[in-house]
């Protein structure tokens, strides 16, 4: 028995497996951005949240709490630039913010000449 259905987008019809789920939002998790051989972008989930294999001290909690409060009261995009020498906790602070906000995180690596295509996919 064929378990495929037709997916329609405008005038384009594609046959796909019927065992898929449609979601309106990307669920919480950590995702890697990938591209297949035909040039189609996709995300691969590899974790629910960032896991730390070492003890975290609450050194950055004031900053993290301030950032989260600002994010929750903003209506547009909010960015944060972490700057400093190696080993000062920039990545740890960013990961802690991501975990506390419980939002999806997409890990993007440079895609060389495909950067414009990647930006269009993500937007």
């Amino acid at each position: 028995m064929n378990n495929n259905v037709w997916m329609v987008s405008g005038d384009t019809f594609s046959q796909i497996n019927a065992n898929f789920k449609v979601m309106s939002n990307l669920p919480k998790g950590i995702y890697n951005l990938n591209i297949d051989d035909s040039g189609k972008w996709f995300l691969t989930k590899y974790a629910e949240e960032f896991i730390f294999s070492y003890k975290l001290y609450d050194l950055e909690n004031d900053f993290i709490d301030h950032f989260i409060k600002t994010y929750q009261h903003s209506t547009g995009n909010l960015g944060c630039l972490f700057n400093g020498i190696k080993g000062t906790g920039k990545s740890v602070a960013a990961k802690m913010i991501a975990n506390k906000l419980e939002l999806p995180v997409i890990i993007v690596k440079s895609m060389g000449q495909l950067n414009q295509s990647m930006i269009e996919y993500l937007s």
Side-chain angles (χ1 to χ4, degrees), residues 46-100:
Y46 78 90
E48 282 296 316
E49 65 181 6
F50 290 106
I51 305 296
F52 301 98
S53 61
Y54 42 84
K55 170 115 174 94
L56 293 176
Y57 297 93
D58 296 333
L59 300 175
E60 301 297 330
N61 273 351
D62 289 341
F63 166 74
I64 291 168
D65 292 341
H66 174 72
F67 182 88
I68 290 171
K69 183 178 177 183
T70 304
Y71 173 81
Q72 291 169 337
H73 289 92
S74 66
T75 57
N77 291 330
L78 177 66
C80 183
L81 175 64
F82 291 91
N83 184 26
I85 60 174
K86 184 177 180 171
T88 56
K90 300 177 298 292
S91 295
V92 171
K95 290 175 180 180
M96 289 174 67
I97 289 170
N99 283 350
K100 286 189 176 190

Side-chain angles (χ1 to χ4, degrees), residues 1 9 13 24 28 61 63 69 116:
M1 182 166 121
S9 177
F13 293 77
S24 59
K28 172 191 166 195
N61 273 351
F63 166 74
K69 183 178 177 183
Q116 184 59 41

Side-chain angles (χ1 to χ4, degrees), residues 1-6 15-20:
M1 182 166 121
N2 188 346
N3 198 22
N4 289 340
V5 295
W6 289 98
Q15 200 172 41
I16 60 173
N17 188 294
N19 297 324
F20 70 92

Side-chain angles (χ1 to χ4, degrees), residues 9 19 32 42 81 114 120:
S9 177
N19 297 324
N32 282 318
F42 64 97
L81 175 64
L114 300 173
E120 291 169 9

